[in-house]
Amino acid sequence: MQIPEDVKEKLRQVIFLRSFRGRICALVLAVGILTSVLMRHAIMQTYEDRAVRQRTATVQNQLLVVAQHLISNNYFSTYRLEDPSFMASRQGINSELDTISNLYEGRIMIIGKSCKVIRDTYGISEGKNIISEEVVKCLRGENVTHYDKENGYIEMTIPIISSGTDGKANVVGVMLASVSNETIVSMMEVMDRNALTLVVLIIMVIVVSSILLSGVLTKPFKRVSDEIRKVKEGTSEKAISVPDYVETVHIVDAFNDLLGRMNALNDSRQEFVANVSHELKTPMTSLKVLADSLLAQNDVPAELYREFMTDMVSEIDRENRIITDLLSLVKMDKTAQEMNVVAINLNDLTELIMKRLRPIARKRDVEVVFESVRPVIAEVDEVKMTLVITNLVENAIKYNKEHGSVKVVLDADHQYFTLEVSDTGVGISSEDLPRVYERFYRADKSHSREMGGTGLGLSITRSAVLLHHGSITVKSTLSEGTTFTVKIPLNYIPGEKREEKG
């Protein structure tokens, strides 16, 4: 099915935003645009506030001058209306008011103490009374200024103050002025266009910068990806190093740890395959040598045939033990979902295993003692737990000294049970101790082959313990003895994991 181009484009956009570089671009762009818009708004607001203050101060200063003229020419007197010089002076003040009103495209009214309009530059409210909050406050000596941005004007009141005979200031009237902000608006429109052009240029610079910056910032991560790809393709096996950022160092360290574990696992697998091949080939070689020896002789006595056949059966049994142990390991490597967990009495299970192994111990004159501190009921896989106890006790018997002893102690607390198997045997050297759980590893190879060991018993034991989310530890002194301690939860909880120690 053909995917439409618009859908492809949306998918590409989503993938871009999911990438680290895309998010850096988006973040830088968003911050840049937001900063530019806020800066533009702040510039315009600052200019508008400053322009309104300047225009208000200019008009107020001119009106204060006019107010002084009003006082000095007794503008509010009514008894001199017939005086030609007074009327000429009054007409001059009215002309001055008209000039200021026309200059600022506004309106000026002179209001007496009785709130009656004496002069209106619009000529429509003279003789009327105006009672408003602003006028009343101004008659009390308070200046009031109001900027009505929506209707486009600045309104202000100026008290007209004269000095009385007693020297006190007396408010004799109010100048109510409204001036247009059209000039401010026009200038702001010009500034807004210039600011918009500047913002567009800044955004373009931010876009280019964000793309370049994101490329530079994400370059170390690309190097990490390239180095990992080389390891994946097999062209490089060495540890990678990208110390540009703390984050890349953490990623690289984690990958190098994983790579080290993978290499160790690969080496272990190769060694395991080599060991398996060697261990399986050795009995077959012995069988072939024995068979060839028989075929090369004529008139072979029956006793010699019996001797050779006995040796061949021994080699076949050895081959069978290796295969059986290998199959056990394969089963142990499967997931814990195959655990057949039931609540069993570990005291009875251990005693049963001791009963089976005591004949082997008697042949080697080894005393086996089982000490049960308290009754233990635990949720375990009976088959796997039998392998654990059997392998540990059988090893303690096989690798013991003549007239030696093996002690098995079973104990428990409210959460775990512990099984301790100690012997008075040959012990394990400190160099060999860390490798006792490795498959096919034998600390004493000649003695192990003599005892019929395959080198898989402890590996099987460790796997069984880990499947129960338990731990296994070992302490040993060469020529003095070895002690294995198994610690497993009484209640089996699927999903938990524990690491063995020592």
Side-chain angles (χ1 to χ4, degrees), residues 190-234:
V190 175
M191 289 188 63
D192 189 52
R193 287 194 295 270
N194 294 336
L196 181 60
T197 302
L198 181 61
V199 166
V200 171
L201 291 174
I202 291 175
I203 290 175
M204 291 174 64
V205 172
I206 290 173
V207 169
V208 175
S209 300
S210 65
I211 293 173
L212 297 176
L213 181 63
S214 63
V216 173
L217 293 177
T218 57
K219 194 172 182 180
F221 294 98
K222 185 177 183 302
R223 287 173 54 201
V224 172
S225 179
D226 292 340
E227 293 294 332
I228 293 176
R229 189 178 297 108
K230 290 179 182 178
V231 174
K232 177 184 175 183
E233 293 172 352

Side-chain angles (χ1 to χ4, degrees), residues 182-397:
E182 185 176 347
T183 305
I184 298 174
V185 171
S186 299
M187 183 58 68
M188 285 183 63
E189 289 177 353
V190 175
M191 289 188 63
D192 189 52
R193 287 194 295 270
N194 294 336
L196 181 60
T197 302
L198 181 61
V199 166
V200 171
L201 291 174
I202 291 175
I203 290 175
M204 291 174 64
V205 172
I206 290 173
V207 169
V208 175
S209 300
S210 65
I211 293 173
L212 297 176
L213 181 63
S214 63
V216 173
L217 293 177
T218 57
K219 194 172 182 180
F221 294 98
K222 185 177 183 302
R223 287 173 54 201
V224 172
S225 179
D226 292 340
E227 293 294 332
I228 293 176
R229 189 178 297 108
K230 290 179 182 178
V231 174
K232 177 184 175 183
E233 293 172 352
T235 58
S236 175
E237 294 183 357
K238 62 181 181 180
I240 64 176
S241 175
V242 184
D244 300 67
Y245 303 138
V246 174
E247 291 77 9
T248 58
V249 171
H250 290 167
I251 294 172
V252 166
D253 288 345
F255 177 77
N256 287 337
D257 290 342
L258 177 61
L259 182 62
R261 292 186 62 182
M262 289 175 61
N263 289 336
L265 180 60
N266 187 47
D267 293 341
S268 176
R269 285 177 177 174
Q270 291 178 357
E271 184 181 358
F272 176 69
V273 171
N275 288 335
V276 168
S277 301
H278 175 74
E279 294 294 331
L280 292 177
K281 187 178 180 181
T282 300
M284 298 301 294
T285 303
S286 299
L287 285 172
K288 188 176 187 305
V289 170
L290 290 170
D292 288 343
S293 298
L294 285 176
L295 291 174
Q297 298 181 41
N298 296 320
D299 302 324
V300 180
E303 293 79 7
L304 187 58
Y305 262 110
R306 182 177 295 277
E307 181 184 348
F308 273 58
M309 293 303 295
T310 301
D311 291 340
M312 293 174 72
V313 169
S314 176
E315 293 299 329
I316 291 172
D317 289 340
R318 182 181 169 194
E319 185 94 2
N320 185 57
R321 284 196 300 271
I322 294 174
I323 293 173
T324 301
D325 285 348
L326 284 173
L327 290 175
S328 298
L329 273 177
V330 170
K331 291 179 180 179
M332 292 295 178
D333 287 339
K334 292 185 178 179
T335 61
Q337 293 177 354
E338 298 181 8
M339 294 280 287
N340 184 22
V341 177
V342 292
I344 64 172
N345 188 317
L346 287 176
N347 305 76
D348 294 342
L349 178 63
T350 306
E351 185 60 53
L352 179 61
I353 295 171
M354 296 296 102
K355 185 177 179 181
R356 295 174 184 169
L357 295 177
R358 279 193 177 98
I360 301 175
R362 282 194 292 268
K363 288 181 180 179
R364 299 183 54 81
D365 194 18
V366 174
E367 181 186 8
V368 178
V369 178
F370 173 46
E371 179 182 336
S372 176
V373 179
R374 58 177 53 82
V376 179
I377 306 295
E379 297 176 356
V380 295
D381 185 308
E382 185 174 358
V383 175
K384 294 180 176 60
M385 189 52 57
T386 300
L387 279 174
V388 171
I389 301 173
T390 301
N391 284 339
L392 290 178
V393 177
E394 190 173 9
N395 280 352
I397 295 171

